[in-house]
Amino acid sequence: MIQKIIPTNVITGFLGVGKTSFIKTLLSQKPSGEVWAVLVNEFGEIGIDAGLLGNDNQQVEIKEVAGGCMCCAAGLPMQVAINQLIAKAKPDRLLIEPTGLGHPQEVLKVLTQAHYQQVLSMKSCITLVDARKLRDSRYTQHEIFNQQLQVADLVLASKADCYDEGHVGELQDYLKANVANQTMTVEPWSHTQNEALMPTILASINLPHKLSAAKNVPAVQAITTAPKTRLLDINYSPLFSPDTSVQQLDFDERGVVCKTKQADGFYSCGWVFDVSYEFDFDKLLEFVKGLDFVRLKAVMITDEGIAGFNGVESELSIVELDDAMASRIELLSMSALNREQIEAALITASKRLGC
């Protein structure tokens, strides 16, 4: 049996830089005859990005790993998720989006291990960075922010349409001063200019990742011999089965799940409300606008339809989505969050149908 090697891109960047939106745009450029798979990792315990990506394309398979950096615990969560994606989708390309607080060097270390060389072909690592944040020491002094730049083959100056003159130059100067052996390309990126910019990006995604090239990892080739049992064999364990069930949420008697997390100087608090909850859109919007957060993501069932909220500090965008099986909202902050107060306000802005 011939097994194809899968071109794989890691798409990284700090919190709120627009990774999920960029991937959504990239998926819209997928060749019609190909199947692409996306592995999304989130810092918080409540998975939301897969809902924001949407999946109305039968040739795109999306899987989510919530709860922090998936490369931790020897990379097992990531390996399991990759196996499940490959077994189910048999993709022509794999896109991996680590959490904005993940450790990209560790992710790439796992992906370039010997047992992956006959399965994954590592292509360009794309790092999105908002050049305006270079003037904020909370970013430039953060280890992960700088690590994301170190591993990049292509740096996208995200939200470039919002820049003042000189921001891109500051980014180039920062890379020259802080990134050893700088070999990456820097390109502007914004959704208002994506049609003009996408050809350059599409031409870049098939270039080999610089670390893989340095290690002389073999190029894509067909495998005609039966591989020995290894970590990526889909039959290695029942855990790797494509039919592995999604983790069930343990709702309380109100139909609510709340999970919290603290790591790397950030606090997260997330909620899932079962499908019986309908939120008043205007009340929800007013409440969200009054919150103090570094990052907010939500997919909410409202009286005006399914709404996707995407917030980064003072910026908030809202999109209409097609479907949701529950309402999910997650906040990230640099200070402790008042869980009880936020939860009470969310419940006040909702009603339960049929209860």
Side-chain angles (χ1 to χ4, degrees), residues 92-116:
D92 296 288
R93 181 173 297 275
L94 174 62
L95 305 177
I96 298 178
E97 179 195 344
T99 168
L101 290 174
H103 302 85
Q105 289 179 345
E106 294 301 316
V107 170
L108 287 163
K109 182 178 178 180
V110 171
L111 294 173
T112 54
Q113 290 175 1
H115 57 263
Y116 280 100

PDB file of all heavy atoms in Angstrom, residues 92-116:
ATOM      1  N   ASP A  92      -4.311  15.811   2.237  1.00  0.00           N
ATOM      2  CA  ASP A  92      -3.239  16.179   1.318  1.00  0.00           C
ATOM      3  C   ASP A  92      -2.341  17.250   1.924  1.00  0.00           C
ATOM      4  O   ASP A  92      -1.237  17.471   1.422  1.00  0.00           O
ATOM      5  CB  ASP A  92      -3.835  16.703   0.009  1.00  0.00           C
ATOM      6  CG  ASP A  92      -4.630  15.637  -0.716  1.00  0.00           C
ATOM      7  OD1 ASP A  92      -4.006  14.712  -1.264  1.00  0.00           O
ATOM      8  OD2 ASP A  92      -5.877  15.714  -0.712  1.00  0.00           O
ATOM      9  N   ARG A  93      -2.828  17.936   2.968  1.00  0.00           N
ATOM     10  CA  ARG A  93      -2.015  18.920   3.685  1.00  0.00           C
ATOM     11  C   ARG A  93      -2.520  19.003   5.117  1.00  0.00           C
ATOM     12  O   ARG A  93      -3.723  18.892   5.377  1.00  0.00           O
ATOM     13  CB  ARG A  93      -2.077  20.308   3.030  1.00  0.00           C
ATOM     14  CG  ARG A  93      -1.205  21.370   3.762  1.00  0.00           C
ATOM     15  CD  ARG A  93      -1.158  22.685   2.995  1.00  0.00           C
ATOM     16  NE  ARG A  93      -0.539  22.524   1.691  1.00  0.00           N
ATOM     17  CZ  ARG A  93       0.767  22.569   1.471  1.00  0.00           C
ATOM     18  NH1 ARG A  93       1.608  22.776   2.477  1.00  0.00           N
ATOM     19  NH2 ARG A  93       1.237  22.421   0.242  1.00  0.00           N
ATOM     20  N   LEU A  94      -1.588  19.224   6.047  1.00  0.00           N
ATOM     21  CA  LEU A  94      -1.921  19.383   7.460  1.00  0.00           C
ATOM     22  C   LEU A  94      -1.457  20.753   7.925  1.00  0.00           C
ATOM     23  O   LEU A  94      -0.293  21.117   7.742  1.00  0.00           O
ATOM     24  CB  LEU A  94      -1.237  18.282   8.285  1.00  0.00           C
ATOM     25  CG  LEU A  94      -1.357  18.363   9.808  1.00  0.00           C
ATOM     26  CD1 LEU A  94      -2.817  18.261  10.251  1.00  0.00           C
ATOM     27  CD2 LEU A  94      -0.522  17.261  10.466  1.00  0.00           C
ATOM     28  N   LEU A  95      -2.372  21.524   8.512  1.00  0.00           N
ATOM     29  CA  LEU A  95      -2.056  22.820   9.116  1.00  0.00           C
ATOM     30  C   LEU A  95      -2.166  22.673  10.628  1.00  0.00           C
ATOM     31  O   LEU A  95      -3.170  22.163  11.120  1.00  0.00           O
ATOM     32  CB  LEU A  95      -3.020  23.902   8.628  1.00  0.00           C
ATOM     33  CG  LEU A  95      -3.146  24.094   7.117  1.00  0.00           C
ATOM     34  CD1 LEU A  95      -4.193  25.162   6.804  1.00  0.00           C
ATOM     35  CD2 LEU A  95      -1.806  24.467   6.485  1.00  0.00           C
ATOM     36  N   ILE A  96      -1.146  23.114  11.349  1.00  0.00           N
ATOM     37  CA  ILE A  96      -1.136  23.004  12.806  1.00  0.00           C
ATOM     38  C   ILE A  96      -1.043  24.401  13.400  1.00  0.00           C
ATOM     39  O   ILE A  96      -0.111  25.154  13.096  1.00  0.00           O
ATOM     40  CB  ILE A  96       0.027  22.125  13.295  1.00  0.00           C
ATOM     41  CG1 ILE A  96      -0.125  20.704  12.744  1.00  0.00           C
ATOM     42  CG2 ILE A  96       0.091  22.110  14.824  1.00  0.00           C
ATOM     43  CD1 ILE A  96       0.992  19.763  13.136  1.00  0.00           C
ATOM     44  N   GLU A  97      -2.026  24.751  14.226  1.00  0.00           N
ATOM     45  CA  GLU A  97      -2.055  26.057  14.886  1.00  0.00           C
ATOM     46  C   GLU A  97      -1.863  25.870  16.390  1.00  0.00           C
ATOM     47  O   GLU A  97      -2.816  25.569  17.116  1.00  0.00           O
ATOM     48  CB  GLU A  97      -3.381  26.780  14.633  1.00  0.00           C
ATOM     49  CG  GLU A  97      -3.459  28.143  15.321  1.00  0.00           C
ATOM     50  CD  GLU A  97      -4.871  28.704  15.398  1.00  0.00           C
ATOM     51  OE1 GLU A  97      -5.758  28.220  14.671  1.00  0.00           O
ATOM     52  OE2 GLU A  97      -5.084  29.636  16.213  1.00  0.00           O
ATOM     53  N   PRO A  98      -0.635  26.029  16.904  1.00  0.00           N
ATOM     54  CA  PRO A  98      -0.441  25.951  18.354  1.00  0.00           C
ATOM     55  C   PRO A  98      -1.096  27.145  19.038  1.00  0.00           C
ATOM     56  O   PRO A  98      -1.321  28.193  18.432  1.00  0.00           O
ATOM     57  CB  PRO A  98       1.089  26.006  18.521  1.00  0.00           C
ATOM     58  CG  PRO A  98       1.652  25.744  17.159  1.00  0.00           C
ATOM     59  CD  PRO A  98       0.625  26.244  16.192  1.00  0.00           C
ATOM     60  N   THR A  99      -1.406  27.004  20.312  1.00  0.00           N
ATOM     61  CA  THR A  99      -1.911  28.131  21.083  1.00  0.00           C
ATOM     62  C   THR A  99      -0.907  29.276  21.059  1.00  0.00           C
ATOM     63  O   THR A  99       0.308  29.060  20.947  1.00  0.00           O
ATOM     64  CB  THR A  99      -2.194  27.721  22.542  1.00  0.00           C
ATOM     65  OG1 THR A  99      -2.412  28.906  23.328  1.00  0.00           O
ATOM     66  CG2 THR A  99      -1.031  26.968  23.151  1.00  0.00           C
ATOM     67  N   GLY A 100      -1.429  30.503  21.182  1.00  0.00           N
ATOM     68  CA  GLY A 100      -0.558  31.673  21.225  1.00  0.00           C
ATOM     69  C   GLY A 100       0.396  31.673  22.391  1.00  0.00           C
ATOM     70  O   GLY A 100       1.371  32.428  22.414  1.00  0.00           O
ATOM     71  N   LEU A 101       0.135  30.823  23.393  1.00  0.00           N
ATOM     72  CA  LEU A 101       1.043  30.684  24.532  1.00  0.00           C
ATOM     73  C   LEU A 101       1.723  29.317  24.526  1.00  0.00           C
ATOM     74  O   LEU A 101       2.226  28.863  25.544  1.00  0.00           O
ATOM     75  CB  LEU A 101       0.280  30.896  25.844  1.00  0.00           C
ATOM     76  CG  LEU A 101      -0.186  32.334  26.094  1.00  0.00           C
ATOM     77  CD1 LEU A 101      -1.053  32.406  27.349  1.00  0.00           C
ATOM     78  CD2 LEU A 101       1.006  33.278  26.226  1.00  0.00           C
ATOM     79  N   GLY A 102       1.713  28.659  23.359  1.00  0.00           N
ATOM     80  CA  GLY A 102       2.393  27.376  23.235  1.00  0.00           C
ATOM     81  C   GLY A 102       3.874  27.561  22.973  1.00  0.00           C
ATOM     82  O   GLY A 102       4.357  28.672  22.749  1.00  0.00           O
ATOM     83  N   HIS A 103       4.597  26.470  22.966  1.00  0.00           N
ATOM     84  CA  HIS A 103       6.050  26.503  22.776  1.00  0.00           C
ATOM     85  C   HIS A 103       6.355  25.961  21.378  1.00  0.00           C
ATOM     86  O   HIS A 103       6.475  24.749  21.199  1.00  0.00           O
ATOM     87  CB  HIS A 103       6.744  25.666  23.841  1.00  0.00           C
ATOM     88  CG  HIS A 103       6.430  26.109  25.240  1.00  0.00           C
ATOM     89  ND1 HIS A 103       5.303  25.673  25.916  1.00  0.00           N
ATOM     90  CD2 HIS A 103       7.068  26.961  26.077  1.00  0.00           C
ATOM     91  CE1 HIS A 103       5.278  26.241  27.109  1.00  0.00           C
ATOM     92  NE2 HIS A 103       6.329  27.018  27.231  1.00  0.00           N
ATOM     93  N   PRO A 104       6.483  26.827  20.381  1.00  0.00           N
ATOM     94  CA  PRO A 104       6.619  26.346  19.004  1.00  0.00           C
ATOM     95  C   PRO A 104       7.871  25.513  18.768  1.00  0.00           C
ATOM     96  O   PRO A 104       7.866  24.603  17.935  1.00  0.00           O
ATOM     97  CB  PRO A 104       6.636  27.638  18.177  1.00  0.00           C
ATOM     98  CG  PRO A 104       7.052  28.706  19.133  1.00  0.00           C
ATOM     99  CD  PRO A 104       6.491  28.300  20.458  1.00  0.00           C
ATOM    100  N   GLN A 105       8.955  25.800  19.473  1.00  0.00           N
ATOM    101  CA  GLN A 105      10.154  24.990  19.303  1.00  0.00           C
ATOM    102  C   GLN A 105       9.903  23.552  19.730  1.00  0.00           C
ATOM    103  O   GLN A 105      10.395  22.612  19.095  1.00  0.00           O
ATOM    104  CB  GLN A 105      11.323  25.594  20.091  1.00  0.00           C
ATOM    105  CG  GLN A 105      11.855  26.887  19.479  1.00  0.00           C
ATOM    106  CD  GLN A 105      12.996  27.486  20.281  1.00  0.00           C
ATOM    107  OE1 GLN A 105      13.234  27.115  21.429  1.00  0.00           O
ATOM    108  NE2 GLN A 105      13.713  28.421  19.683  1.00  0.00           N
ATOM    109  N   GLU A 106       9.123  23.369  20.782  1.00  0.00           N
ATOM    110  CA  GLU A 106       8.810  22.017  21.236  1.00  0.00           C
ATOM    111  C   GLU A 106       7.856  21.319  20.263  1.00  0.00           C
ATOM    112  O   GLU A 106       7.967  20.116  20.021  1.00  0.00           O
ATOM    113  CB  GLU A 106       8.202  22.060  22.643  1.00  0.00           C
ATOM    114  CG  GLU A 106       9.175  22.536  23.716  1.00  0.00           C
ATOM    115  CD  GLU A 106      10.413  21.648  23.790  1.00  0.00           C
ATOM    116  OE1 GLU A 106      10.263  20.422  23.755  1.00  0.00           O
ATOM    117  OE2 GLU A 106      11.528  22.200  23.866  1.00  0.00           O
ATOM    118  N   VAL A 107       6.896  22.075  19.713  1.00  0.00           N
ATOM    119  CA  VAL A 107       5.989  21.509  18.716  1.00  0.00           C
ATOM    120  C   VAL A 107       6.788  20.998  17.519  1.00  0.00           C
ATOM    121  O   VAL A 107       6.613  19.862  17.054  1.00  0.00           O
ATOM    122  CB  VAL A 107       4.950  22.555  18.264  1.00  0.00           C
ATOM    123  CG1 VAL A 107       4.162  22.053  17.050  1.00  0.00           C
ATOM    124  CG2 VAL A 107       3.997  22.885  19.405  1.00  0.00           C
ATOM    125  N   LEU A 108       7.706  21.828  17.023  1.00  0.00           N
ATOM    126  CA  LEU A 108       8.507  21.446  15.861  1.00  0.00           C
ATOM    127  C   LEU A 108       9.467  20.307  16.196  1.00  0.00           C
ATOM    128  O   LEU A 108       9.751  19.452  15.349  1.00  0.00           O
ATOM    129  CB  LEU A 108       9.275  22.658  15.347  1.00  0.00           C
ATOM    130  CG  LEU A 108       8.398  23.689  14.631  1.00  0.00           C
ATOM    131  CD1 LEU A 108       9.100  25.029  14.519  1.00  0.00           C
ATOM    132  CD2 LEU A 108       8.002  23.191  13.243  1.00  0.00           C
ATOM    133  N   LYS A 109       9.946  20.276  17.424  1.00  0.00           N
ATOM    134  CA  LYS A 109      10.827  19.179  17.846  1.00  0.00           C
ATOM    135  C   LYS A 109      10.099  17.849  17.768  1.00  0.00           C
ATOM    136  O   LYS A 109      10.656  16.839  17.317  1.00  0.00           O
ATOM    137  CB  LYS A 109      11.323  19.437  19.271  1.00  0.00           C
ATOM    138  CG  LYS A 109      12.288  18.392  19.798  1.00  0.00           C
ATOM    139  CD  LYS A 109      12.755  18.753  21.201  1.00  0.00           C
ATOM    140  CE  LYS A 109      13.698  17.689  21.761  1.00  0.00           C
ATOM    141  NZ  LYS A 109      14.148  18.049  23.136  1.00  0.00           N
ATOM    142  N   VAL A 110       8.828  17.850  18.205  1.00  0.00           N
ATOM    143  CA  VAL A 110       8.031  16.625  18.130  1.00  0.00           C
ATOM    144  C   VAL A 110       7.785  16.236  16.672  1.00  0.00           C
ATOM    145  O   VAL A 110       7.938  15.067  16.272  1.00  0.00           O
ATOM    146  CB  VAL A 110       6.686  16.812  18.870  1.00  0.00           C
ATOM    147  CG1 VAL A 110       5.762  15.625  18.607  1.00  0.00           C
ATOM    148  CG2 VAL A 110       6.919  16.971  20.364  1.00  0.00           C
ATOM    149  N   LEU A 111       7.431  17.209  15.852  1.00  0.00           N
ATOM    150  CA  LEU A 111       7.060  16.929  14.464  1.00  0.00           C
ATOM    151  C   LEU A 111       8.230  16.483  13.600  1.00  0.00           C
ATOM    152  O   LEU A 111       8.026  15.856  12.549  1.00  0.00           O
ATOM    153  CB  LEU A 111       6.412  18.163  13.842  1.00  0.00           C
ATOM    154  CG  LEU A 111       5.065  18.590  14.430  1.00  0.00           C
ATOM    155  CD1 LEU A 111       4.631  19.926  13.842  1.00  0.00           C
ATOM    156  CD2 LEU A 111       4.004  17.532  14.185  1.00  0.00           C
ATOM    157  N   THR A 112       9.455  16.812  14.001  1.00  0.00           N
ATOM    158  CA  THR A 112      10.626  16.456  13.202  1.00  0.00           C
ATOM    159  C   THR A 112      11.374  15.249  13.757  1.00  0.00           C
ATOM    160  O   THR A 112      12.489  14.966  13.330  1.00  0.00           O
ATOM    161  CB  THR A 112      11.588  17.653  13.085  1.00  0.00           C
ATOM    162  OG1 THR A 112      11.907  18.144  14.401  1.00  0.00           O
ATOM    163  CG2 THR A 112      10.959  18.792  12.291  1.00  0.00           C
ATOM    164  N   GLN A 113      10.770  14.535  14.696  1.00  0.00           N
ATOM    165  CA  GLN A 113      11.394  13.314  15.192  1.00  0.00           C
ATOM    166  C   GLN A 113      11.453  12.263  14.091  1.00  0.00           C
ATOM    167  O   GLN A 113      10.699  12.296  13.119  1.00  0.00           O
ATOM    168  CB  GLN A 113      10.617  12.783  16.398  1.00  0.00           C
ATOM    169  CG  GLN A 113      10.764  13.650  17.645  1.00  0.00           C
ATOM    170  CD  GLN A 113       9.904  13.174  18.788  1.00  0.00           C
ATOM    171  OE1 GLN A 113       9.197  12.178  18.682  1.00  0.00           O
ATOM    172  NE2 GLN A 113       9.958  13.893  19.900  1.00  0.00           N
ATOM    173  N   ALA A 114      12.338  11.309  14.262  1.00  0.00           N
ATOM    174  CA  ALA A 114      12.615  10.328  13.208  1.00  0.00           C
ATOM    175  C   ALA A 114      11.368   9.562  12.775  1.00  0.00           C
ATOM    176  O   ALA A 114      11.178   9.290  11.585  1.00  0.00           O
ATOM    177  CB  ALA A 114      13.695   9.357  13.680  1.00  0.00           C
ATOM    178  N   HIS A 115      10.505   9.224  13.746  1.00  0.00           N
ATOM    179  CA  HIS A 115       9.356   8.402  13.382  1.00  0.00           C
ATOM    180  C   HIS A 115       8.298   9.152  12.583  1.00  0.00           C
ATOM    181  O   HIS A 115       7.329   8.549  12.128  1.00  0.00           O
ATOM    182  CB  HIS A 115       8.721   7.767  14.627  1.00  0.00           C
ATOM    183  CG  HIS A 115       8.290   8.758  15.659  1.00  0.00           C
ATOM    184  ND1 HIS A 115       9.075   9.074  16.741  1.00  0.00           N
ATOM    185  CD2 HIS A 115       7.171   9.498  15.784  1.00  0.00           C
ATOM    186  CE1 HIS A 115       8.453   9.963  17.494  1.00  0.00           C
ATOM    187  NE2 HIS A 115       7.297  10.234  16.932  1.00  0.00           N
ATOM    188  N   TYR A 116       8.466  10.472  12.408  1.00  0.00           N
ATOM    189  CA  TYR A 116       7.538  11.231  11.576  1.00  0.00           C
ATOM    190  C   TYR A 116       8.057  11.434  10.156  1.00  0.00           C
ATOM    191  O   TYR A 116       7.334  11.933   9.295  1.00  0.00           O
ATOM    192  CB  TYR A 116       7.273  12.601  12.188  1.00  0.00           C
ATOM    193  CG  TYR A 116       6.274  12.587  13.319  1.00  0.00           C
ATOM    194  CD1 TYR A 116       6.696  12.606  14.635  1.00  0.00           C
ATOM    195  CD2 TYR A 116       4.911  12.538  13.056  1.00  0.00           C
ATOM    196  CE1 TYR A 116       5.784  12.580  15.670  1.00  0.00           C
ATOM    197  CE2 TYR A 116       3.997  12.515  14.085  1.00  0.00           C
ATOM    198  CZ  TYR A 116       4.441  12.539  15.390  1.00  0.00           C
ATOM    199  OH  TYR A 116       3.540  12.504  16.413  1.00  0.00           O
TER     200      TYR A 116
END
